[in-house]
């Protein structure tokens, strides 16, 4: 069992920045690929960014590539998402997720554990 707790959401103006953090507890953190997803009202949950177990590789949705950066610290059991140049369309609840399989996937169904989510609101 892995427990995930997200922090760092809030209200920001367009063009601003936020840093989301996800703290993990339970099983060995480095055994899990980690990802951030988001869900806007009335829309499906979508992949934002993911990072492999040791942080060697990352993947980004086209809509955030070049603006968002995912990173992890296995010594501190944390994964972060730095979001720059935020846009109103980035408004959503952001979720941290853990996947115990060896690869890195964008599929929601592949992730075994989820946090409770943190709200990000970008005003125009």
């Amino acid at each position: 069992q892995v427990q995930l707790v997200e922090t760092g959401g809030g209200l920001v103006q367009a063009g601003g920045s936020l840093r989301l953090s996800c703290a993990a507890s339970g099983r060995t953190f480095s055994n899990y690929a980690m990802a951030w997803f988001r869900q806007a009202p009335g829309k499906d949950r979508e992949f934002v960014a993911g990072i492999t177990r040791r942080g060697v590789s990352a993947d980004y949705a086209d809509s955030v590539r070049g603006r968002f950066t995912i990173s992890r610290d296995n010594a501190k059991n944390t994964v972060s998402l730095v979001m720059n140049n935020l846009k109103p369309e980035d408004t959503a609840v952001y979720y941290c997720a853990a996947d115990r399989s060896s690869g890195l996937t964008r599929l929601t169904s592949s992730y075994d554990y989820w946090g409770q989510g943190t709200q990000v609101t970008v005003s125009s």
Side-chain angles (χ1 to χ4, degrees):
Q1 191 79 4
V2 175
Q3 293 79 41
L4 303 172
V5 178
E6 303 98 334
T7 56
L11 173 64
V12 64
Q13 289 187 333
S17 299
L18 280 175
R19 181 186 181 98
L20 304 183
S21 294
C22 173
S25 60
R27 298 294 181 93
T28 304
F29 181 67
S30 59
N31 286 348
Y32 295 85
M34 300 297 297
W36 289 93
F37 288 77
R38 67 187 181 187
Q39 188 166 18
K43 294 187 176 181
D44 293 335
R45 191 169 298 188
E46 64 174 1
F47 174 85
V48 174
I51 191 165
T52 52
R53 292 173 172 179
R54 301 196 182 281
V56 173
S57 298
D59 184 27
Y60 296 92
D62 290 345
S63 59
V64 307
R65 185 174 290 112
R67 299 188 297 123
F68 291 10
T69 302
I70 188 172
S71 62
R72 67 187 296 163
D73 185 336
N74 286 347
K76 296 182 178 179
N77 290 359
T78 59
V79 60
S80 298
L81 185 69
V82 174
M83 306 184 294
N84 295 320
N85 190 22
L86 282 160
K87 303 176 181 181
E89 52 264 43
D90 294 318
T91 295
V93 178
Y94 283 70
Y95 297 90
C96 173
D99 177 9
R100 59 190 169 192
S101 62
S102 60
L104 180 59
T105 178
R106 298 185 176 193
L107 296 176
T108 307
S109 59
S110 294
Y111 287 80
D112 304 289
Y113 302 103
W114 294 83
Q116 83 289 348
T118 186
Q119 176 70 46
V120 171
T121 303
V122 184
S123 62
S124 57

